[in-house]
Amino acid sequence: MNIILIGFMGCGKSTLGIRLSYRMKQPYIDTDKQIEHQEGRSIQEIFDTDGEAYFRSVETGVIEAFIRDGLKDHVISTGGGMPVTKDNIPLLKRLGVVAWLKCKPETVLMRLADDRTRPLLQGDDKADRVRELMEFREPFYRECADVTVEVDNKPIERIMDEIFTKSKGVWKRKKRMRYEQDTYN
Ligand code: S3P
């Protein structure tokens, strides 16, 4: 079963993804790292040279390729804007169980206070930017998520336990739905 982690920048997708991959003994993929590798340049450079729209198209291409290649039994962490491209939502849902790491703006601001790697959070008005962007994105995360876990002030082991508990049944249901689609279409 693929587990896909979504959520705002700084909510802990990468850290949790690596820990989950150890615990589940499944390989780990970070879509941002994959994009940087594919493009041979950093996310910041991609934004600076070709703009956000281009970056978003590469993001979608990465998920499409996972589906085309039949990727399975991986832990996948995604960039914070992945579900905001509407077309990505059905693709992510098809790829596996989608877990939303939900966090408060304060958590993000504390974790990313000195961050220089997120193009969307540079500038002086970081606090406003995080609040606005988070509010705007919430409906997209909610729609995309199969399970939601609030992560603020929670130990990582507990977050993982919650993901497992809440994911029970979701995967079986998804597999059954796919089987029925294959059978009847
Ligand atoms: C982005 C989040 C980043 C990265 C890019 C855009 C976003 O990933 O994909 O800077 O739009 O939220 P993280 O969520 O891993 O920081």
Side-chain angles (χ1 to χ4, degrees):
M1 160 177 93
N2 288 321
I3 293 222
I4 300 121
L5 303 177
I6 62 165
F8 204 80
M9 294 169 263
C11 69
K13 297 176 298 263
S14 308
T15 311
L16 190 85
I18 292 166
R19 291 286 297 272
L20 266 180
S21 105
Y22 277 118
R23 186 155 151 187
M24 297 175 77
K25 299 190 173 50
Q26 292 189 180
Y28 170 69
I29 301 180
D30 178 328
T31 58
D32 281 342
K33 293 275 172 303
Q34 168 107 0
I35 290 169
E36 289 186 329
H37 178 74
Q38 219 167 281
E39 293 276 315
R41 51 195 176 143
S42 69
I43 305 274
Q44 181 73 59
E45 283 170 317
I46 300 173
F47 269 71
D48 287 347
T49 315
D50 294 312
E52 183 175 350
Y54 174 75
F55 173 75
R56 298 298 171 203
S57 70
V58 181
E59 269 190 324
T60 302
V62 165
I63 299 299
E64 283 172 342
F66 289 162
I67 292 177
R68 206 170 43 243
D69 298 345
L71 189 83
K72 59 176 188 174
D73 299 334
H74 279 66
V75 177
I76 302 157
S77 66
T78 58
M82 184 73 90
V84 182
T85 306
K86 263 279 188 183
D87 290 349
N88 292 349
I89 294 181
L91 297 176
L92 292 165
K93 279 182 169 296
R94 195 163 146 203
L95 190 60
V97 175
V98 182
W100 173 22
L101 308 185
K102 189 168 188 282
C103 70
K104 297 196 170 113
E106 296 75 40
T107 306
V108 172
L109 286 164
M110 194 181 62
R111 289 192 184 154
L112 301 185
D114 300 319
D115 179 77
R116 296 278 168 269
T117 64
R118 269 91 171 178
L120 295 179
L121 296 185
Q122 301 314 310
D124 296 333
D125 57 345
K126 204 184 242 182
D128 289 342
R129 187 96 191 94
V130 166
R131 286 198 177 86
E132 276 166 22
L133 206 53
M134 203 180 258
E135 201 180 314
F136 172 75
R137 287 180 172 185
E138 268 222 19
F140 295 92
Y141 293 138
R142 182 162 293 116
E143 186 183 338
C144 192
D146 294 307
V147 303
T148 302
V149 179
E150 293 192 4
V151 298
D152 307 278
N153 305 316
K154 254 185 216 165
I156 204 158
E157 289 296 332
R158 205 171 128 209
I159 299 172
M160 289 197 283
D161 289 344
E162 277 187 40
I163 291 179
F164 286 129
T165 312
K166 292 183 172 174
S167 296
K168 264 185 212 157
V170 176
W171 182 241
K172 273 191 196 150
R173 200 178 65 236
K174 287 195 169 201
K175 269 172 76 169
R176 199 169 51 236
M177 273 167 57
R178 203 169 310 153
Y179 170 77
E180 282 165 7
Q181 272 169 12
D182 289 347
T183 310
Y184 299 118
N185 288 337

